[in-house]
Amino acid sequence: MRSSSVALLFILASTDAFQVSQPQGRPSTNLNGFRDRLKSLFGRGEPVKDKTFDKLVKNNFPCAITNSALTKKTVAALEKRGISPSNTLLATSLCCDELARVLEDDFNQIYGNNFNLGGLSGFPFAGNTGFGAMAAHIPDDGYCLVVHGPHVGITKDGLIGKVERPGIALVDTCCGSAIAASKYLKGITDGGAKITTKLQSFTDFQQGAVQELILPFGKRLNDCEDRMKELPYALYDSQDILVRDIINTGAGGIKKGLALLGGIQINTGPDTLDYFHPLRFDLYD
């Protein structure tokens, strides 16, 4: 695979992306089975869209779309380029938090089980070795779809960095790893803490790495109006560099092509829909 890319991000904002084209290389059963899977996915009892809450989310994250809209548009855009569930391996780099599984499960329903590249805060801790192993599992003459990004919670009343969780009365932090790293960073930039050596501690290696990887964003986070709103974008910018470097390093192992979808997961309570702010949608060939 050549390390060249075509930006597809604009497609996610287009209603035309809902028009699913005939996939290439699929069995003679045409699209019936695939459409049944889509119907079961998008009608499987998820919360009804709340217009008031939808407006609240989009006031805070103006380019966010629901997970269901994201998956529909992604599938449609990729199928037009011959990238279908039958010839594509799904790989994700999302946080360990169970709330991050919601988006992952939505894509699993279409593309099957995913290869996991991610760890705390969504950073691609599988690295070059994990990516190489993943590339070897791509179908012959097939593709890979990589979905990655950090996540952030928002409560029903619009509090960012918190989320209601099923069965828990306490409104919890989200993302806990990201917020802990942010507090560590603030302690350094405010002069009240020193850089630790936790990166060398195997028992908390990932959190130590998250704290180190966010260090370059200290001034940006200190200067912003809303630290919790800016935090996932700072994390994304760090992850975007790492993910693209891993892809470029492992480009020779990709078979026919790779689609990279990156952005911010926006997790909400059990009675409301989750959202995603797409920031990158590139096709490497």
Side-chain angles (χ1 to χ4, degrees):
M1 183 192 79
R2 301 192 315 276
S3 183
S4 62
S5 65
V6 177
L8 304 175
L9 184 59
F10 72 95
I11 294 173
L12 295 184
S14 169
T15 55
D16 292 341
F18 282 104
Q19 304 301 316
V20 180
S21 64
Q22 175 68 36
Q24 298 178 16
R26 292 187 59 78
S28 58
T29 53
N30 61 55
L31 274 177
N32 290 339
F34 176 52
R35 284 177 176 149
D36 288 342
R37 287 163 66 190
L38 282 177
K39 286 178 182 178
S40 66
L41 169 61
F42 300 120
R44 67 174 191 266
E46 67 177 8
V48 176
K49 189 171 184 177
D50 181 325
K51 291 183 179 179
T52 301
F53 185 70
D54 182 73
K55 183 177 180 180
L56 184 152
V57 170
K58 290 177 180 176
N59 281 342
N60 286 285
F61 303 96
C63 295
I65 58 177
T66 63
N67 283 4
S68 59
L70 175 75
T71 48
K72 285 179 183 178
K73 292 186 176 189
T74 301
V75 169
L78 294 180
E79 288 235 338
K80 289 178 180 178
R81 288 159 176 79
I83 305 172
S84 69
S86 67
N87 66 8
T88 301
L89 173 67
L90 173 68
T92 62
S93 184
L94 305 171
C95 187
C96 306
D97 193 320
E98 72 275 9
L99 294 181
R101 307 284 76 75
V102 176
L103 178 66
E104 198 169 72
D105 288 347
D106 287 344
F107 277 102
N108 288 155
Q109 290 287 329
I110 300 167
Y111 293 99
N113 293 336
N114 62 286
F115 190 107
N116 180 31
L117 297 168
L120 288 180
S121 291
F123 278 93
F125 283 105
N128 296 325
T129 299
F131 186 85
M134 180 278 296
H137 302 171
I138 296 171
D140 292 340
D141 202 30
Y143 300 86
C144 175
L145 168 60
V146 177
V147 181
H148 84 95
H151 70 133
V152 62
I154 182 169
T155 63
K156 266 192 170 180
D157 58 1
L159 183 61
I160 299 173
K162 299 278 188 178
V163 72
E164 300 92 350
R165 295 178 185 265
I168 301 176
L170 177 69
V171 177
D172 196 20
T173 56
C174 180
C175 167
S177 168
I179 292 172
S182 173
K183 289 178 179 178
Y184 166 75
L185 176 58
K186 186 169 175 57
I188 293 171
T189 54
D190 289 351
K194 296 180 180 180
I195 296 177
T196 73
T197 58
K198 283 189 176 181
L199 185 59
Q200 306 303 320
S201 172
F202 182 80
T203 56
D204 206 14
F205 167 78
Q206 289 194 9
Q207 184 59 27
V210 173
Q211 292 175 174
E212 300 301 316
L213 289 163
I214 202 177
L215 284 176
F217 301 95
K219 186 177 188 306
R220 170 176 164 181
L221 291 173
N222 269 5
D223 293 348
C224 69
E225 292 183 6
D226 188 330
R227 191 178 183 95
M228 287 298 99
K229 188 185 295 187
E230 187 64 24
L231 178 59
Y233 291 98
L235 289 165
Y236 172 80
D237 287 343
S238 179
Q239 293 172 18
D240 180 57
I241 293 170
L242 292 172
V243 169
R244 288 189 291 117
D245 181 69
I246 289 169
I247 290 172
N248 288 331
T249 300
I254 297 299
K255 294 175 181 176
K256 197 168 183 180
L258 178 146
L260 175 63
L261 173 60
I264 310 295
Q265 280 194 87
I266 303 163
N267 296 130
T268 73
D271 299 326
T272 47
L273 297 173
D274 277 4
Y275 290 74
F276 190 86
H277 180 186
L279 296 169
R280 178 181 296 279
F281 190 24
D282 290 351
L283 178 61
Y284 292 75
D285 58 16

